[in-house]
Amino acid sequence: MKHKFSHYLCSVCGAEYGPEEVTYTCPADGGNLSVILDYAAINAWYTAQKFMDLPEASLWRYLSLLPVADPGGIGTPLRRAGWTPVYQTTRLAEKLGLKSLWIKDESPNPTASFKDRASAIVVARAAEIGAEVTVAASTGNAGSALAGMAAAVGAKAVIFAPRTAPPAKIAQLIIFGAKVLLVDGNYDQAFDLSIEATHAFGWYNRNTGFNPFTTEGKKTAGFEIWEQVIRRMPAESKPLTVFIPVGDGNIISGVHKGFKDLQALGWLEKMPRIIGVQSTRSAAVANAFWRGDEDIQPVHAETLADSICVDLPRDGLRAVRAATETGGTYLTVPDEDILGAIVELGRVGIFAEPAASTAYAGLVKAVEEKIIEPDDPVLVLNTGSGLKDVNAAMQVVAAAPIIEPTLDALKKELG
Ligand SMILES: *Cc1c(COP(=O)(O)O)cnc(C)c1O
Ligand SMILES: [Zn+2]
């Protein structure tokens, strides 16, 4: 089989493996593997301008920089993942005293979260290697994304999720026709069980921070940020600062990988500064960053932001490096601020789930602590739709009044 990438590189020991040699993590130390492209070969025929003139309004516009073959699926939701809008939120910018603030909104993805990017690429990879069943453990979004992308092309998916996952996410899984198993335990336990099942039944595993292709899907957000924002910034501008919510650490690593690919191709001049944001109640990556080491210690996570509620982040090492290698940092925010950020974003027409609003809560804190200055251009990644978890949103807003269907009752209510 001909592969579209050169090799895998272990993030722990630096060992290189050929495309046929490994499937998931480093056999020597379990380290996450990065997929390395043949940058010289790409540069020989592909230019930044070509890259900008692509017609397809999805992540598949970047097929030449992805390690998978064209999966087909034209006219299906698989083909609609990615190429999400970037909003210029002037009122929020003014409120925070910033000159430029963009919010990249991932909720228009087919299953309403960032995870469609990773699942689209894994479904393509599964088809390429002839895998019949793809399995994932998920707090909800990665599973619904896999179930949805698999359903789009008639592939089979098995999903393990904690039984406590928000109902909307569980409903998506079932509606997309996946085999759904709700584990009486937390995400970490579902993760371990899915790996055992992978070995026992020979399934293909999509797990975050385990399957190297998820990062390759997530990197497309980095490409889009470059195309939609960075390329349009004035040359004298300070580098863009990007705020990303962090659970397992695979989104932040993926976006960083996208920027690194562009840099390797010579197309990105100023590496953006990447800031990771975690809940104070699920802060394993931030803890490691602040200790100044790469040894990720598990925590007992219990944030209401379920998509970032992780005891042991599976991509923590690369997540730490995304900040250290770009002059970024890590911030933690309490759950009250995460809920408050849902309300703030709602006021400009963006509905975020708690994990997603965490990034904006991080920006508010960064402005307060002067980590962000007024002339720093900032982009906040809104990773998933508020419709995924309406119970969380309803906790921070006053209930709407219930009135009799008469004008009198209305007048009385309006005072
Ligand atoms: C998964 C997820 C995250 C966190 O991504 P990690 O790769 O686990 O760090 C953030 N927000 C949403 C909505 C998610 O689904
Ligand atoms: Zn290794």
Side-chain angles (χ1 to χ4, degrees):
M1 170 177 177
K2 195 177 170 315
H3 290 275
K4 281 184 68 193
F5 60 104
S6 128
H7 59 277
Y8 296 104
L9 176 70
C10 174
S11 55
V12 175
C13 66
E16 293 182 3
Y17 299 96
E20 305 277 350
E21 272 183 279
V22 286
T23 309
Y24 301 115
T25 51
C26 176
D29 50 34
N32 278 295
L33 300 178
S34 299
V35 175
I36 307 300
L37 307 179
D38 186 346
Y39 300 103
I42 294 168
N43 249 336
W45 64 274
Y46 205 55
T47 62
Q49 195 51 48
K50 266 193 195 155
F51 183 89
M52 298 282 292
D53 293 339
L54 301 166
E56 194 164 349
S58 80
L59 58 79
W60 296 108
R61 66 198 279 106
Y62 306 122
L63 192 55
S64 303
L65 302 184
L66 292 171
V68 290
D70 189 330
I74 303 269
T76 75
L78 178 74
R79 225 53 208 201
R80 183 55 198 88
W83 198 244
T84 53
V86 169
Y87 299 126
Q88 214 151 5
T89 44
T90 319
R91 266 178 295 133
L92 288 180
E94 277 167 10
K95 196 163 169 191
L96 294 169
L98 298 177
K99 252 169 68 188
S100 2
L101 172 61
W102 294 271
I103 297 192
K104 185 162 177 62
D105 187 13
E106 293 291 310
S107 50
N109 273 303
T111 79
S113 89
F114 189 100
K115 298 294 197 295
D116 284 341
R117 296 178 183 275
S119 292
I121 301 301
V122 170
V123 163
R125 178 67 179 169
E128 210 172 45
I129 63 176
E132 259 171 47
V133 177
T134 306
V135 56
S138 162
T139 58
N141 286 340
S144 10
L146 175 59
M149 293 296 115
V153 294
K156 285 198 187 106
V158 178
I159 313 294
F160 295 88
R163 63 180 288 192
T164 53
K169 297 183 184 182
I170 295 173
Q172 280 186 301
L173 295 175
I174 298 169
I175 289 292
F176 290 139
K179 173 116 191 100
V180 183
L181 299 139
L182 297 180
V183 177
D184 192 9
N186 66 5
Y187 167 60
D188 295 77
Q189 289 167 309
F191 191 103
D192 292 339
L193 177 58
S194 79
I195 306 269
E196 277 184 69
T198 298
H199 297 315
F201 305 119
W203 294 336
Y204 184 54
N205 190 303
R206 176 230 181 267
N207 282 11
T208 295
F210 184 66
N211 186 317
F213 286 82
T214 62
T215 318
E216 291 297 298
K218 291 175 177 183
K219 78 179 183 185
T220 57
F223 294 166
E224 290 171 26
I225 292 168
W226 178 73
E227 204 178 330
Q228 295 169 315
V229 177
I230 298 175
R231 292 265 308 203
R232 295 160 201 260
M233 287 176 13
E236 68 281 3
S237 167
K238 288 166 115 177
L240 185 69
T241 302
V242 182
F243 283 78
I244 301 178
V246 175
D248 270 319
N250 194 241
I251 293 183
I252 198 170
S253 311
V255 171
H256 187 209
K257 172 65 157 56
F259 293 146
K260 284 193 290 191
D261 276 0
L262 294 172
Q263 214 171 35
L265 290 162
W267 302 349
L268 175 70
E269 279 163 32
K270 286 181 220 164
M271 177 58 88
R273 185 162 61 138
I274 301 179
I275 298 188
V277 189
Q278 292 203 286
S279 162
T280 47
R281 291 149 65 90
S282 178
V285 180
N287 292 344
F289 177 87
W290 287 112
R291 274 198 316 271
D293 66 37
E294 294 189 329
D295 182 22
I296 313 294
Q297 297 295 328
V299 295
H300 180 65
E302 47 191 355
T303 171
L304 64 76
D306 65 292
S307 302
I308 52 170
C309 189
V310 179
D311 290 354
L312 179 65
R314 308 288 171 155
D315 206 355
L317 172 62
R318 291 189 301 187
V320 168
R321 287 180 189 164
T324 47
E325 290 178 7
T326 64
T329 188
Y330 267 84
L331 295 168
T332 57
V333 288
D335 283 7
E336 306 87 82
D337 293 6
I338 291 173
L339 290 175
I342 294 180
V343 177
E344 292 290 300
L345 290 169
R347 296 293 183 263
V348 296
I350 296 170
F351 191 13
E353 72 163 270
S357 74
T358 301
Y360 186 77
L363 169 61
V364 173
K365 181 168 177 180
V367 169
E368 275 163 19
E369 298 193 347
K370 303 206 165 20
I371 294 166
I372 289 296
E373 292 169 8
D375 63 341
D376 280 321
V378 171
L379 182 137
V380 174
L381 197 59
N382 182 52
T383 45
S385 165
L387 293 174
K388 293 273 197 171
D389 186 0
V390 291
N391 288 339
M394 294 302 271
Q395 282 181 38
V396 266
V397 285
I402 297 168
I403 59 164
E404 296 289 326
T406 64
L407 193 57
D408 271 353
L410 175 60
K411 283 181 179 161
K412 213 165 129 199
E413 176 60 38
L414 296 178

